[in-house]
Amino acid sequence: MDFKLTKKELRIIYKQKRMALSQDEVNFLSQKILEQFILQFNVIENQKINIFLSIKKLNEINTRIFINYFFDKKVRVFVPKIQNEKLISIEIFPDSQFEVNRWGIREPTGETVQDVDFDYVLTPLLYCDSKGNRVGYGKGFYDSFFSENLKVRNKIGVNFFNPEQAVADVFSSDVNLDALVTPSQVFIF
């Protein structure tokens, strides 16, 4: 990692890289990321995992395959919902109902679950450097969520791309990830 780029620059580069992937590539790489996750992290029955719901039009990782795997393993699955401009978690089940929010993101219609001691939070991102500095969409939802939920054991980013550049503009309010899972490798920070 010889040079640093700003979050704004990295967002542009990695949005373009991700949008260049075909749907078949997204699905194939998502499966590889799930396989890497399974090899590195031994999820067991009744653990609690928070995972985002993919936005297909943004070519995000297909998290439906993760969710199905977790349900099969009897892992408790939670997904984010924006409420009063904050990220909260709601437990979902195979028969849960969803609605689309104002940003076009699917969210569960269920009630908030308070004070969950998460074993894993699988985090969306556009980029992550080799120190665990995450570049998301820039709204700060996950940084706030991590700062307010100190019971999160493992903050895991999932991405199609390995770290290449360092993030130049890391702020004190940014919360580092504990690990990054890509199709070829798991990076522990």
Side-chain angles (χ1 to χ4, degrees):
M1 242 185 260
D2 297 326
F3 59 97
K4 294 182 177 188
L5 294 175
T6 66
K7 290 178 185 179
K8 182 178 180 180
E9 292 168 322
L10 290 164
R11 277 187 194 102
I12 292 167
I13 292 167
Y14 285 92
K15 277 182 185 178
Q16 289 174 346
K17 282 186 169 198
R18 196 165 68 188
M19 293 309 293
L21 298 172
S22 71
Q23 193 57 54
D24 285 343
E25 288 172 312
V26 166
N27 289 332
F28 175 78
L29 294 171
S30 297
Q31 181 63 42
K32 292 294 183 193
I33 293 167
L34 174 59
E35 290 168 10
Q36 289 290 339
F37 177 82
I38 291 167
L39 287 172
Q40 181 68 38
F41 304 101
N42 183 29
V43 296
I44 57 174
E45 188 172 331
N46 289 319
Q47 282 187 315
K48 294 174 277 312
I49 296 180
N50 188 88
I51 184 169
F52 64 100
L53 297 172
S54 305
I55 304 171
K56 189 173 183 176
K57 70 180 179 183
L58 297 179
N59 263 11
E60 288 186 335
I61 290 165
N62 178 357
T63 57
R64 172 49 60 192
I65 60 175
F66 287 75
I67 292 168
N68 291 340
Y69 174 81
F70 297 148
F71 282 151
D72 287 346
K73 294 293 183 185
K74 296 181 175 38
V75 171
R76 294 179 62 193
V77 178
F78 298 76
V79 297
K81 181 174 183 171
I82 304 300
Q83 188 175 73
N84 300 321
E85 301 305 313
K86 292 182 94 169
L87 189 81
I88 61 169
S89 287
I90 297 182
E91 187 167 9
I92 62 168
F93 306 91
D95 62 347
S96 291
Q97 299 297 307
F98 297 86
E99 59 192 9
V100 177
N101 71 13
R102 68 178 187 243
W103 291 295
I105 301 169
R106 290 179 346 124
E107 295 180 328
T109 57
E111 295 298 315
T112 306
V113 178
Q114 298 294 329
D115 296 325
V116 176
D117 188 3
F118 288 113
D119 296 288
Y120 302 96
V121 175
L122 274 74
T123 310
L125 53 88
L126 288 163
Y127 182 74
C128 179
D129 71 12
S130 64
K131 295 182 179 175
N133 297 306
R134 176 185 167 274
V135 177
Y137 292 105
K139 302 224 184 295
F141 286 125
Y142 275 89
D143 289 319
S144 295
F145 178 77
F146 291 141
S147 295
E148 294 169 10
N149 295 281
L150 302 176
K151 294 181 178 181
V152 174
R153 287 197 193 107
N154 295 286
K155 300 175 296 294
I156 313 292
V158 288
N159 198 7
F160 296 126
F161 310 105
N162 287 348
E164 294 175 356
Q165 297 87 19
V167 177
D169 51 346
V170 177
F171 304 108
S172 61
S173 59
D174 292 344
V175 177
N176 284 25
L177 296 173
D178 299 311
L180 172 67
V181 182
T182 70
S184 62
Q185 195 168 349
V186 176
F187 299 84
I188 305 294
F189 309 116

